[in-house]
Amino acid sequence: MPFVNVRTFKGALSNQERKELQTKITDLLIEYEGKGNPEFKKFVWVMLEEEEPKNWMIGGTTISDVLDNNLTYKQNYLANLSEK
């Protein structure tokens, strides 16, 4: 039984993007681990965890700071949050 855990920061993906990502991961596991058998789908677990941007850091900068300093990125982030 495959279990995939994807972690990202809250607001990075819209509701539709989350669903598409989970579906594509499921499809890949069916294709490779399940050898293309569609019945394998019932054994695939895909968990998507979202954390607050302040809890993520890259290159010594929190994602919150990245959002604050990049207007386009911040607008996309806020648009995705509003879809929830």
Side-chain angles (χ1 to χ4, degrees), residues 9-49:
F9 61 91
K10 186 183 272 186
L13 301 170
S14 68
N15 290 334
Q16 183 62 32
E17 289 169 330
R18 278 194 298 282
K19 184 175 180 178
E20 287 175 12
L21 179 60
Q22 290 172 307
T23 298
K24 286 182 181 192
I25 290 169
T26 299
D27 291 345
L28 281 171
L29 286 166
I30 292 168
E31 180 181 348
Y32 288 98
E33 191 171 344
K35 309 295 186 233
N37 181 349
E39 291 296 313
F40 188 73
K41 184 176 189 173
K42 60 187 169 190
F43 300 108
V44 177
W45 293 60
V46 179
M47 184 170 128
L48 195 122
E49 292 182 274

Side-chain angles (χ1 to χ4, degrees), residues 59-78:
T61 305
T62 65
I63 297 300
S64 292
D65 289 340
V66 170
L67 290 171
D68 289 342
N69 294 315
N70 186 325
L71 183 58
T72 302
Y73 198 86
K74 186 172 186 172
Q75 288 169 337
N76 289 337
Y77 171 78
L78 293 172

